[in-house]
Amino acid sequence: MYMVQEVLYICTGNRFRSMFAEAYTSASCSRVKSFSRGTDASEDVLNEVRDEMQARALWSRASKPRQLEARDLEKADLAVCMKPHHRKTVQEKYSIDVETVVWQVEEVSVDLPEKELRSRISSTFDRLEDLVDRRFVE
């Protein structure tokens, strides 16, 4: 278990992985404040992501996609990057000393057939729940 106050989840678009991790952490761990950002924030959220978050009763906790900024890293105790290139962006673009970890959570291609896309989104959310639980839930 990790004693932390503010966790920043970082992915590319902030419309899928980091958004879900933020919402799940908020719902499952009251002693951790979570927020999420994207290194290249999107303007939209996939319907399939919204549907899966609604099915898990987490959509109301989701924030709209937001671009990563220096002040986000300054307020975080820990930055959880979904892939190594997110950590690289943090290190190269911002000169802020924040602990970072990489969880190796793959992006899901939006070009998949709908049934497979929904299945991959669901399995990715299951994996993120497990990672959050292992790291932050008592």
Side-chain angles (χ1 to χ4, degrees):
M1 183 171 37
Y2 191 80
M3 300 307 282
V4 67
Q5 293 180 358
E6 295 208 30
V7 176
L8 169 60
Y9 292 104
I10 303 170
C11 70
T12 304
N14 190 218
R15 66 182 192 152
F16 171 43
R17 297 168 290 178
S18 61
M19 176 198 305
F20 178 82
E22 172 191 3
Y24 182 74
T25 302
S26 174
S28 65
C29 191
S30 61
R31 64 182 177 73
V32 174
K33 183 175 180 181
S34 61
F35 59 111
S36 63
R37 300 293 186 264
T39 57
D40 188 22
S42 176
E43 291 187 20
D44 63 335
V45 176
L46 296 172
N47 290 333
E48 295 84 357
V49 168
R50 185 194 66 240
D51 293 348
E52 184 66 22
M53 288 184 74
Q54 285 175 331
R56 294 173 189 241
L58 292 173
W59 181 246
S60 65
R61 295 181 180 269
S63 60
K64 69 179 184 171
R66 293 190 177 161
Q67 181 65 37
L68 178 64
E69 297 179 7
R71 67 177 175 231
D72 301 318
L73 294 161
E74 290 167 351
K75 86 176 198 180
D77 297 311
L78 176 68
V80 176
C81 301
M82 296 298 146
K83 295 294 288 176
H85 67 271
H86 301 122
R87 176 190 267 173
K88 185 177 180 183
T89 297
V90 167
Q91 292 170 338
E92 290 178 355
K93 189 173 179 181
Y94 306 95
S95 58
I96 297 165
D97 186 27
V98 61
E99 181 181 355
T100 60
V101 296
V102 177
W103 278 1
Q104 292 291 2
V105 179
E106 298 294 328
E107 178 66 83
V108 174
S109 171
V110 297
D111 297 328
L112 295 171
E114 184 178 352
K115 186 175 181 178
E116 186 175 350
L117 175 62
R118 288 183 183 277
S119 175
R120 293 258 182 107
I121 288 169
S122 181
S123 64
T124 299
F125 285 174
D126 290 344
R127 179 153 186 259
L128 284 164
E129 286 178 357
D130 184 55
L131 289 165
V132 168
D133 289 347
R134 283 194 218 170
R135 186 80 188 223
F136 303 115
V137 178
E138 299 174 325

